[in-house]
Amino acid sequence: EAEVAQSPRYKITEKSQAVAFWCDPISGHATLYWYRQILGQGPELLVQFQDESVVDDSQLPKDRFSAERLKGVDSTLKIQPAELGDSAMYLCASRGPADSYNEQFFGPGTRLTVL
Amino acid sequence: SQQGEEDPQALSIQEGENATMNCSYKTSINNLQWYRQNSGRGLVHLILIRSNEREKHSGRLRVTLDTSKKSSSLLITASRAADTASYFCATDAQGGSEKLVFGKGMKLTVNP
């Protein structure tokens, strides 16, 4: 069964360092989402891509966060510099054109701890 | 910002009992979805109900939607220890960019 892949699964970094997360969506899925999930909360959308274009990045803290999906396939989310408050689970999800009701498929997530 | 709000926030039951979770939301929606998340893992889609549907079944899951009250409920029948997880409702708002807005989640514990 096709799955969304994410790496690394866990990342520990010190504040002010740069971190990067990678996501490979299900093959053929045009829409890709990055979410941040703080412990005890639901996921909150950071950025949405349609192919290689950003559809919604209104909640992305653009002074330190960046996201790209250069070839419209896999994607990278970067934080520079990391802050203590960035500690969270970062989830990637994808949705294909056939999923007309917006069912999203999630990867296992990257757990970020900023010390 | 989070639109959905699950109730109760935590529920502990015995295996074999039914579990009911409620979700309230604020704006008009295209559909409402329920997801499950095992500890430290990604979310798994459970069931979707469209705004013009009132009830839907999938295996041991039953979801209802009342758009006049802006609320939904998820019923898990004959619960199992493996159902222990956090459950989230997510809404796909009308006129939006097809993004989902998740609630804060509800922790279900099924004791063997």
Side-chain angles (χ1 to χ4, degrees):
Chain A
E1 185 175 313
E3 294 181 341
V4 175
Q6 288 188 248
S7 67
R9 291 292 310 280
Y10 304 92
K11 179 69 178 179
I12 300 174
T13 191
E14 294 184 344
K15 63 180 181 179
S16 80
Q17 296 297 304
V19 291
F21 313 131
W22 177 80
C23 172
D24 191 13
I26 293 172
S27 179
H29 279 196
T31 310
L32 184 147
Y33 307 84
W34 282 102
Y35 291 90
R36 177 171 60 187
Q37 184 180 24
I38 296 170
L39 190 65
Q41 302 285 319
E44 292 191 304
L45 181 70
L46 291 174
V47 61
Q48 175 183 346
F49 288 92
Q50 181 67 31
D51 298 308
E52 68 277 6
S53 301
V54 173
V55 173
D56 185 344
D57 64 355
S58 57
Q59 299 303 309
L60 188 70
K62 298 181 188 64
D63 58 334
R64 298 185 301 108
F65 286 63
S66 64
E68 60 182 18
R69 194 183 183 198
L70 293 176
K71 297 182 179 179
V73 181
D74 58 339
S75 176
T76 301
L77 178 70
K78 297 179 181 178
I79 308 175
Q80 183 174 18
E83 295 181 352
L84 296 177
D86 296 331
S87 294
M89 176 79 90
Y90 290 83
L91 295 162
C92 178
S94 69
R95 176 178 69 89
D99 298 320
S100 58
Y101 297 115
N102 200 11
E103 173 187 343
Q104 296 183 17
F105 297 84
F106 282 79
T110 297
R111 169 73 66 187
L112 173 67
T113 301
V114 182
L115 303 176
Chain B
S1 62
Q2 300 190 297
Q3 165 161 238
E5 188 165 325
E6 293 85 353
D7 171 58
Q9 292 189 335
L11 180 64
S12 181
I13 60 174
Q14 296 299 123
E15 240 181 351
E17 294 180 339
N18 296 341
T20 300
M21 299 161 237
N22 302 300
C23 170
S24 59
Y25 58 92
K26 298 174 184 174
T27 64
S28 297
I29 60 173
N30 292 318
N31 63 67
L32 185 143
Q33 305 178 34
W34 286 91
Y35 286 79
R36 182 187 72 218
Q37 184 178 36
N38 291 89
S39 181
R41 306 286 299 190
L43 280 74
V44 175
H45 181 266
L46 294 177
I47 193 166
L48 178 152
I49 186 165
R50 289 176 284 174
S51 59
N52 61 354
E53 297 176 313
R54 291 297 167 258
E55 185 172 317
K56 203 165 182 180
H57 297 255
S58 176
R60 294 184 297 113
L61 305 179
R62 171 177 169 259
V63 64
T64 62
L65 179 66
D66 187 335
T67 53
S68 67
K69 295 181 179 179
K70 292 187 168 57
S71 67
S72 172
S73 67
L74 174 68
L75 169 68
I76 303 175
T77 60
S79 64
R80 306 166 181 168
D83 294 328
T84 295
S86 292
Y87 291 81
F88 296 88
C89 66
T91 53
D92 184 346
Q94 285 184 1
S97 60
E98 298 181 322
K99 72 177 186 181
L100 292 179
V101 179
F102 287 82
K104 293 183 179 181
M106 193 218 78
K107 173 64 178 173
L108 174 65
T109 302
V110 182
N111 300 299

